[in-house]
């Protein structure tokens, strides 16, 4: 009885985490370069049930589930054309490399919505978070006045990783690699389209389906909590 109570309670808590992930996807459905996330569940410990003599039986009972990890789908999606002079979209795999002007931390993003920002006497190409956009030599890109308008000292470079699984999201559509992702490498033949931005990878249809799944699982778990509580109350009444 107590096992069923705690198993159901944990199930409701984990389904709430799934709902949080889905809600975050829906909140970013219009954000350029956003990559959708999904939750991955794993079973907790299983054990054999005992018969009336105390011996193990082939029957097994579980102790619930937990959210093991949150996967990010880095698959490229379509892009839309814009009027932005410094808008870029990557048509294949890879990331733009950006660097924080404060901490010098390097992160990676698919959002190519860039703009100019003044640092001292110079203007640099930065992303929405104010981080420097780096070129193929991993140097910040200067924006200068030329004969044909604004000119760049280099083009936004595209970098890739051998393994994408496990990259950590730092928020604002930026990611940092972990050890298993390996070192970044320059994708020399990457195709970058200017005056375009990659659309969000979130799918409203898929996420609404996940909402229905999570809501039903959540309601079933709460019903199990209620039933377990009623059984315990009945037993306590009989004892008294």
């Amino acid at each position: 009885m107590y096992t069923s109570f705690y198993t159901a309670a944990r199930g409701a808590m984990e389904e709430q985490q799934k709902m949080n992930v889905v809600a975050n996807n829906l909140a970013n459905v219009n954000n350029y370069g956003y990559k959708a996330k999904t939750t991955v569940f794993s079973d907790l410990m299983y054990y054999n049930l005992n018969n009336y003599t105390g011996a193990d039986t082939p029957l097994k009972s579980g102790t619930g589930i937990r959210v093991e990890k949150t996967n990010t789908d880095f698959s490229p999606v379509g892009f839309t054309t814009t009027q932005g002079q410094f808008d870029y979209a990557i048509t294949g795999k890879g990331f733009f490399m950006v660097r924080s002007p404060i901490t010098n931390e390097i992160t990676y993003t698919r959002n190519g919505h860039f703009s100019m920002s003044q640092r001292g006497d110079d203007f640099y190409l930065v992303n929405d978070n104010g981080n420097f956009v780096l070129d193929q030599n991993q140097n910040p890109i200067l924006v200068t006045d030329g004969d044909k308008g604004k000119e760049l000292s280099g083009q936004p470079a595209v970098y890739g990783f051998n393994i994408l699984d496990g990259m950590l999201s730092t928020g604002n559509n930026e990611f940092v690699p972990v050890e298993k992702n390996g070192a970044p490498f320059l994708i020399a033949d990457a195709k970058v389209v200017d005056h375009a931005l990659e659309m969000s990878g979130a799918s409203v249809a898929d996420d609404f389906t996940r909402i229905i799944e999570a809501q039903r699982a959540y309601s079933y778990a709460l019903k199990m909590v209620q039933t377990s509580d009623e059984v315990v109350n009945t037993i306590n009444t009989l004892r008294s």
Side-chain angles (χ1 to χ4, degrees):
M1 289 175 292
Y2 289 111
T3 300
S4 64
F5 181 89
Y6 290 115
T7 298
R10 171 165 285 280
M13 294 168 57
E14 300 305 304
E15 290 298 335
Q16 180 61 57
Q17 289 194 42
K18 178 178 179 178
M19 286 287 289
N20 293 340
V21 172
V22 174
N24 185 65
N25 285 342
L26 292 175
N28 289 278
V29 72
N30 292 319
N31 285 355
Y32 296 117
Y34 176 77
K35 294 303 171 185
K37 297 175 175 55
T38 56
T39 50
V40 178
F41 292 98
S42 63
D43 294 328
L44 296 178
M45 182 182 66
Y46 275 81
Y47 58 92
N48 289 340
L49 296 175
N50 298 333
N51 62 16
Y52 69 96
T53 64
D56 285 344
T57 68
L59 299 176
K60 291 184 178 294
S61 178
T63 56
I65 60 171
R66 71 180 181 92
V67 175
E68 181 179 2
K69 60 181 179 178
T70 302
N71 282 342
T72 303
D73 184 4
F74 289 107
S75 301
V77 298
F79 60 85
T80 180
T81 57
T82 70
Q83 299 300 318
Q85 181 180 359
F86 303 120
D87 287 346
Y88 299 91
I90 304 172
T91 59
K93 297 181 180 180
F95 302 88
F96 296 113
M97 179 186 287
V98 297
R99 190 180 74 197
S100 170
I102 300 175
T103 64
N104 286 325
E105 179 186 17
I106 290 179
T107 53
Y108 300 85
T109 182
R110 294 279 299 188
N111 184 5
H113 184 251
F114 303 143
S115 58
M116 292 190 308
S117 179
Q118 186 172 8
R119 295 290 190 276
D121 296 329
D122 297 319
F123 287 89
Y124 292 89
L125 194 66
V126 299
N127 70 348
D128 288 340
N129 303 322
N131 296 330
F132 294 130
V133 181
L134 305 184
D135 61 15
Q136 62 180 3
N137 297 317
Q138 300 187 14
N139 294 322
I141 298 174
L142 281 167
V143 183
T144 58
D145 292 322
D147 297 335
K148 298 181 180 181
K150 299 298 182 183
E151 295 182 353
L152 304 179
S153 62
Q155 292 300 310
V158 178
Y159 292 83
F161 295 90
N162 289 323
I163 299 175
L164 297 180
D165 183 44
M167 290 189 73
L168 299 179
S169 175
T170 61
N172 299 315
N173 291 343
E174 294 184 8
F175 300 88
V176 294
V178 295
E179 183 177 357
K180 70 176 180 179
N181 299 131
F185 58 87
L186 178 68
I187 305 178
D189 59 348
K191 185 176 180 181
V192 177
V193 180
D194 57 8
H195 295 85
L197 290 171
E198 184 181 36
M199 300 174 68
S200 173
S203 169
V204 175
D206 290 342
D207 285 322
F208 268 110
T209 301
R210 295 188 183 102
I211 286 177
I212 295 173
E213 293 174 347
Q215 284 179 331
R216 290 182 177 177
Y218 185 82
S219 64
Y220 293 151
L222 292 185
K223 183 62 177 178
M224 186 174 174
V225 170
Q226 180 183 356
T227 302
S228 299
D229 184 60
E230 291 173 353
V231 171
V232 172
N233 287 336
T234 301
I235 293 175
N236 289 335
T237 302
L238 293 175
R239 286 177 178 176
S240 60

